[in-house]
Amino acid sequence: MDPIGAWQELGFRVGFTGHSGHLRVEPLSTVERSNPLSSLPDFILPPAFPEETPESIKKYIEETYLSPGLDPDEFSPEKVGRQWEFDWFDRAEVPLEPSLPRTVVVPVWEPPFRRQNDVSEQGKWEPKSEEVDVSELMVGDEDSGSLPRTSGSAKDFVRGSINSRPFRPAGLDNSQTLNRILPEGASNGEWVHEILNGGPPQTIPPGFKQGLDLGAFKPYPCSWNVYKDASSLRSSSVEKLSELSLQFDDLFKKAWEDGVTREQEKDGHLSEVESVTLDAEVDKAKVSSSMHEDEFSLDEVLSTKSEGSKPLIDASSDGGQQQKEAWARCRGSKEIIDHFHELVPDMALQFPFELDAFQKEAIYYLEKGESVFVAAHTSAGKTVVAEYAFALASKHCTRAVYTAPIKTISNQKYRDFCGKFDVGLLTGDVTLRPEASCLIMTTEILRSMLYRGADIIRDIEWVIFDEVHYVNDAERGVVWEEVIIMLPRHINIILLSATVPNTVEFADWIGRTKQKEIRVTGTTKRPVPLEHCLFYSGELYKICESETFLPQALKAAKDAFKKKHLTAVGGGSGRYSGTSAGHDGTQSQKRESAARLKHGSSFSKTSRGYQNNGNGQNNWELIKKLSKNSLLPVVIFCFSKNRCDKSADNMTGTDLTSSSEKSEIRVFCDKAFSRLKGSDRNLPQVVRVQNLLRRGIGVHHAGLLPIVKEVVEMLFCRGVIKVLFSTETFAMGVNAPARTVVFDTLRKFDGKEFRQLLPGEYTQMAGRAGRRGLDKIGTVVLMCRDEIPGDRDLKHVIVGSATRLESQFRLTYIMILHLLRVEELKVEDMLKRSFAEFHAQKKLPEMQELLKRKLNQPTKDIECIKGTPTIEEYYEAYSEAEKYNSEISDAILQSPSAQQFLAPGRVIVLKSESANDHLLGVIVKAPSANYKQYIVLVLRPDLPSPVENAPSRGNMQDKPSDFNQGYFVLPKSKRGFGDEYLTSVSARRGTGAVNITLPHRGFVSGISYEVREVDSKEFQCICNTKMKISQVGLLEDVSNAVYSKTVQMLLDLKSDGNKYPRPLDPVKDLKLKDVKLVETYHKWTKLLEKMTLNQCHGCIKLEEHIKLAKEIQKHKQEVIDLQFKISDEALQQMPEFQGRIDVLKEIGCIDDDFVVQMKGRVACEMNSGEELICTECLFENQLDQLEPEEAVAIMSAFVFQQKNTSEPSLTTKLSEAKHKLYNTAVRLGQLQVQKGLPIDPEEYAQENLKFGLVEVVYEWAKGTPFADICELTDVPEGLIVRTIVRLDETCREFKNAAAIMGNSALCKKMEVASNAIKRDIVFAASLYITGV
């Protein structure tokens, strides 16, 4: 239809006529309009249709599509009251989009010259197919929230599922698993070229048996033009274009004829693409840099106009090379602190106090969405950074996760944050409000969520790691490294740590691992300065103040110690001082060892009197002193649970609280313990602790019941407890500072041995001294009883450098199985990204560049004049013969039969390191009382001639010389009558003296020589030649004539064309009978015969070619070594990984193709106990014949941790189950030894199975009261509760494992067992969670 034209821009409109709908055109008056689009003709609705307005359209959409409504037919008034028997929501037919497949089948391209064996009957080539992960085909879709990863079920949203795939960790984008983005052949034009040339098309889709027969295509003549630059296309002429034209036909034909693969061209093509990509990234970085420069120009405007000030150096403004060199950024900017409120005008959280400099800096970086590492002392205010991250998560409608090393910190942080934020808690036994935006959990829970692919991870913006220095923990430090490595790209990291020396190094490792920059900030300044004192004999001696050691005070303490011990044994403070000093000093270590082996009554029986007389008296004197100086409350750190209890019990008659405080304590305890039932309220521990608390004395250690510990912690925070005896866990797990901290001793038992406190441990505990805002200074006291510590020890502990963060990364079976479960995550990637491999991986680019240079070096060729070069074979035999010769020589020299040949006059060959050849010599003197080594004269052709540099006569020791010229002898034609050689050898008997200074050097007969001491290890070989020498002339008279004759005799041995005389035959001469040595000797002789038959033997250029072959071999070996260092095989834990893989294959957790089997999936569920033993226990059905109470009792061996306990009394059935489980563990240990793992089977079983609480758990599951089960063992009540609580988690894991196995009976049994142990005081709710 022809378009409608308007004459002279006559406007018109199109509309309907009447109700019939006929079109009509109506002229309009021409109006000038600013918008050209408005000049289009208007569309006029007919009168039957109402005029549409934006409001009417919006109303129609809302009523039709946005307002929920019921079906008028089904929900009509006539059908009111009708009930349906099924759920309408289940029957609803919701159109769901099909989920994306995880893998697809794609064809594999092969060049035509490789298809000879793959042609079908019709003469057509049909490609092979392979299965490829969808994520590998989606370029740019490797993000952690990528589409190929489907969401799991709602019940697994928080904890994840073993069936879910983990999110891709950040920093793995360059992993070898992602090298293949597209199938080979899909990214180049070879398949297109083949079709255009008339080749057969691919007609059978991947996975199909047959397809459409389209026949062969007709060839289509074509050529590709390749241009250097797009701009040249416009400016160049046709001739220039034809010069740059490249016919792919010619290239393809040449490649086909020469049999050269296209892979090299492909690699070159990819390298060009990579270079273009890098150029684009550089341009992008420049744009980003300019944007940030503009951004920080605003900062400059906001800052003061000082020419000397510099704007904040942002990471994006640095060069790309610098970004790769250092991922940790620790250069703070003064502008951030000075203009913080201008840079962050709208803070997500307001604080009622002025922020410190490091807090402002950290908050600024958090606002920019960067990761931060904060290192500061205890109580410096690191929690402010965590709170701000919580506030940002709430503001951004995302989530933040706060991880803590121990459960106590998690509970306390939950209470602290509960009133400020929307907080949830996730621990092993408690799940509170998992839907909250701010989640507090232990690090193990977060690791489990990452491995199990919990969908909640999609929402997480911040992960806060508290107490990062806990990474040094030998047992649990690996958890921190695993979590950091596994975190996805979209999660930012906040690390809070005490001051450590290598903060930047650790942050650099995290940044390099996650491929994101880490901002390092913090402070070394303490909010409350500390003073350190010694307490001895009732006096305090200040030995350190403001990090400055005061030796005068230490000297005064030592003087007081000496004065006290010089006066009298029983003087000073009565009978207590003498008894305390002597008894405590000599038996302290024995007493601590006995305390760890025996518990309870055994301790009191052996040392009750000592504790009453010595330790209690010292504590009372110290507390009186501190109370007098207003230094209470005080925390006294004792490194033993029993020592804490005894120290508190010995303070009888001490009352430190007022009546109002007693009332407050009583009311608080009544409320706290009211949740316990009657019998539990009267437990001995509960009654005893309450009596101590009323007097202002507290005890805190792992042996206390959880509710008792929480009562002590809360009362101490209220300030009503004046003296608290605690182990070091109080400093780690509770944020409760005191006025004073006291160290009962500077030695502790670390589970293996007694040792001195480390500076980091001392700093952590001493940091509890000084309450911010209350005290101007904090006091730290070291108690001294029997001795004063040395200056060096005190300086090391008090002002020494803290312990460096060291990697505790180790492989575990559950880690391997989790990573093998997902193909795109490799165990090798996890190993390479561990902190232990950080420095090696940091040097990887340098080694790759060095390898590239080595490979690009021009190779040297050996030009042989005899035709076919056989120098490689000759050099190989030569090198092997040298190795055998070295073995034989070492064995000969160590054999007793060779010693009789090492007499004066025996010709020997010495090893030479500096010279190219070994040295010929003769033994002058055997070892004696004065000289422990052989004295040997050796020829040194490598030394310079004395004519150029004549030696002095200092070595002659003023002995008469036969020559006036010095040490060298002129040729015979130039010698006078007096210079003639002495032809007779002195026949007098020598005294054995050595009148030369060794080493002694000279020059005769045109060659240099040296006399020196030599160890027998330096002998290369012993020759079968013996010379007649004059020991007197060489060592006593120092006759030049004798030296000349001896050197000439050695030179004559070389005159027959051989370098050295023949060595002694090991079999014929030395009569060696060692089987291996004789075998090596025969191999050596055969190699020598083989070398003589080689064409190169006797060649005039043999020596030159040997050197060249040695250089070539050295170059090859360097390349091999570099390739090994770059490869995964060079990883430190790779041998252990191979051994563990073999173990998993042997027991059936994985198959030969590393596919995780059902047994491996069951092992992935085992987090509480040793995964192999738990899995074997299940698959051997060891729990099937046990009752639920018996099963849960045996399972306590997986989670109980104390080594030495009283022997439990077990039933026959439990004893049999115990021995069966123990034998299983020993068998698994033996299997691991067979696969090369360095473990002891018995130790392996004993470490992972501890049966000390089997009887206790059995009785508890049967319903026995808690007070009664405590009488069955010497294990403290707190450890019993902790074991049973963890046992409940183990029951859940076994239940899930039974579901995977399909064992419904065991699944039900685990549910019954879990319900049997969950009761009374063991599972009493935490006071931090429920409040008091």
Side-chain angles (χ1 to χ4, degrees), residues 471-489:
V471 76
N472 282 340
D473 184 76
E475 291 296 324
R476 300 172 58 210
V478 61
V479 181
W480 272 255
E481 294 190 53
E482 285 184 76
V483 171
I484 290 172
I485 294 172
M486 289 293 295
L487 284 177
R489 182 192 305 171

Side-chain angles (χ1 to χ4, degrees), residues 1151-1326:
D1151 61 10
D1152 294 336
D1153 296 327
F1154 302 99
V1155 177
V1156 178
Q1157 304 300 301
M1158 184 178 70
K1159 200 171 188 179
R1161 292 166 61 83
V1162 169
C1164 288
E1165 293 285 348
M1166 304 302 171
N1167 294 304
S1168 300
E1170 213 283 335
E1171 49 269 25
L1172 292 190
I1173 303 177
C1174 293
T1175 305
E1176 287 296 308
C1177 172
L1178 284 176
F1179 276 82
E1180 291 178 0
N1181 299 321
Q1182 296 185 16
L1183 303 179
D1184 286 2
Q1185 303 302 322
L1186 302 178
E1187 296 298 324
E1189 297 82 4
E1190 296 169 332
V1192 74
I1194 287 296
M1195 288 165 56
S1196 67
F1198 295 128
V1199 296
F1200 182 51
Q1201 295 180 340
Q1202 186 167 314
K1203 294 181 180 179
N1204 302 310
T1205 61
S1206 59
E1207 189 66 25
S1209 176
L1210 305 180
T1211 63
T1212 305
K1213 205 171 180 180
L1214 284 175
S1215 297
E1216 292 176 357
K1218 170 187 173 183
H1219 291 302
K1220 192 173 182 179
L1221 184 59
Y1222 186 82
N1223 292 335
T1224 300
V1226 173
R1227 176 174 55 81
L1228 287 172
Q1230 293 171 347
L1231 175 62
Q1232 294 176 77
V1233 172
Q1234 293 173 9
K1235 301 303 181 182
L1237 297 178
I1239 65 172
D1240 180 80
E1242 292 291 338
E1243 290 184 5
Y1244 171 77
Q1246 294 171 5
E1247 283 292 325
N1248 293 291
L1249 294 176
K1250 298 181 178 66
F1251 298 95
L1253 286 185
V1254 173
E1255 181 187 10
V1256 171
V1257 175
Y1258 178 63
E1259 295 294 333
W1260 177 254
K1262 288 171 60 179
T1264 306
F1266 189 80
D1268 295 338
I1269 68 169
C1270 292
E1271 299 295 331
L1272 301 176
T1273 181
D1274 56 1
V1275 177
E1277 294 90 333
L1279 294 182
I1280 295 175
V1281 172
R1282 182 182 178 187
T1283 301
I1284 298 177
V1285 169
R1286 292 190 61 195
L1287 197 52
D1288 177 58
E1289 184 179 355
T1290 307
C1291 288
R1292 289 199 301 270
E1293 294 171 358
F1294 273 60
K1295 179 183 176 182
N1296 295 335
I1300 294 175
M1301 297 169 61
N1303 191 340
S1304 58
L1306 181 61
C1307 188
K1308 181 65 176 177
K1309 184 180 294 184
M1310 290 297 101
E1311 186 176 355
V1312 173
S1314 176
N1315 294 331
I1317 62 175
K1318 283 200 294 188
R1319 60 183 177 86
D1320 299 346
I1321 191 172
V1322 174
F1323 284 85
S1326 170

Side-chain angles (χ1 to χ4, degrees), residues 271-337:
S271 64
E272 293 175 5
V273 174
E274 290 172 359
S275 64
V276 173
T277 305
L278 289 175
D279 294 340
E281 289 178 357
V282 170
D283 296 337
K284 184 179 178 180
K286 290 179 179 178
V287 174
S288 175
S289 175
S290 63
M291 291 173 62
H292 279 279
E293 287 176 2
D294 297 339
E295 176 184 340
F296 276 94
S297 64
L298 176 61
D299 297 348
E300 293 178 351
V301 171
L302 294 174
S303 62
T304 55
K305 297 181 180 180
S306 58
E307 296 181 359
S309 63
K310 296 176 66 177
L312 176 66
I313 303 177
D314 193 24
S316 56
S317 65
D318 298 333
Q321 184 66 26
Q322 189 174 358
Q323 289 186 15
K324 294 182 180 179
E325 289 178 358
W327 293 92
R329 301 293 183 186
C330 52
R331 295 172 297 181
S333 176
K334 193 172 182 296
E335 279 74 9
I336 296 178
I337 292 93

